[in-house]
Amino acid sequence: MSAINIISSSSEEDNKKRKRKISNRESARRSRMKREQHMKDLNDQILYFGSKSGDLTRKIDEIGRRYAAAEAENRILRLHGEELKKRLQFLEEMVDSYNRNSCIDVKEDDDGDCFVRDVLKDFDVERPWLQPAFQSQAVDGIYQF
């Protein structure tokens, strides 16, 4: 090999090394940019899902409060329903007892039951829910019946 070939070969190798360095630098730059973009995307997802998590937590808390309020209201309504059933039973027993025990000035209906005309003339014993609602009045914050 002559000196020119050695120089030319050396120059070619240097050129290849230089091109490889440039290519490696460009590849590293693209890799860094890709990694930075990926990190930015991950941070954006952290913010997004953190916000969503907070929203869902608030909604769950609100639903929990509404559920507790509905449960308390249901409990009160059940107790009120039981009280009304007891009152109805008591009133039915009173009417039955009254009908059995007071046969003065009575009128028998088709079934043989007797009713006092004057006392029960305006009260529909068979359908008490058709009677006007009871109205209470409050005086100084105290209900009077």
Side-chain angles (χ1 to χ4, degrees):
M1 278 195 147
S2 67
I4 295 177
N5 284 340
I6 293 174
I7 294 174
S8 151
S9 168
S10 170
S11 172
E12 242 177 72
E13 286 178 21
D14 288 344
N15 198 18
K16 284 182 182 180
K17 283 182 182 178
R18 190 174 46 81
K19 284 182 181 180
R20 197 175 330 121
K21 267 186 176 178
I22 291 171
S23 174
N24 286 346
R25 285 181 185 155
E26 185 62 28
S27 176
R29 185 184 67 77
R30 284 192 309 265
S31 179
R32 282 191 303 274
M33 288 178 63
K34 194 185 241 184
R35 186 178 61 228
E36 287 174 12
Q37 183 62 40
H38 184 66
M39 291 299 289
K40 182 183 175 295
D41 291 344
L42 290 175
N43 284 327
D44 289 346
Q45 285 181 359
I46 288 171
L47 293 174
Y48 172 78
F49 288 120
S51 171
K52 282 290 188 184
S53 174
D55 292 344
L56 290 174
T57 301
R58 282 188 291 282
K59 287 179 182 179
I60 288 170
D61 291 344
E62 177 63 25
I63 289 169
R65 282 191 294 275
R66 287 182 183 180
Y67 175 80
E71 187 68 29
E73 185 178 0
N74 283 344
R75 195 175 312 116
I76 290 169
L77 289 173
R78 279 189 209 105
L79 290 172
H80 187 65
E82 289 298 318
E83 178 63 29
L84 289 174
K85 284 179 187 177
K86 288 177 184 177
R87 289 173 65 184
L88 177 61
Q89 182 181 5
F90 175 73
L91 289 172
E92 287 174 344
E93 289 172 1
M94 278 182 51
V95 168
D96 288 344
S97 174
Y98 191 76
N99 286 336
R100 280 191 310 272
N101 296 330
S102 60
C103 290
I104 304 171
D105 193 24
V106 295
K107 174 186 176 189
E108 285 191 15
D109 62 5
D110 296 338
D111 296 332
D113 296 331
C114 59
F115 295 95
V116 177
R117 278 183 259 160
D118 294 336
V119 176
L120 298 176
K121 70 179 181 182
D122 295 327
F123 187 78
D124 188 353
V125 177
E126 299 297 320
R127 298 178 296 175
W129 56 88
L130 295 176
Q131 299 303 313
F134 176 74
Q135 300 293 322
S136 63
Q137 297 177 353
V139 177
D140 294 330
I142 300 172
Y143 285 97
Q144 297 183 353
F145 299 96

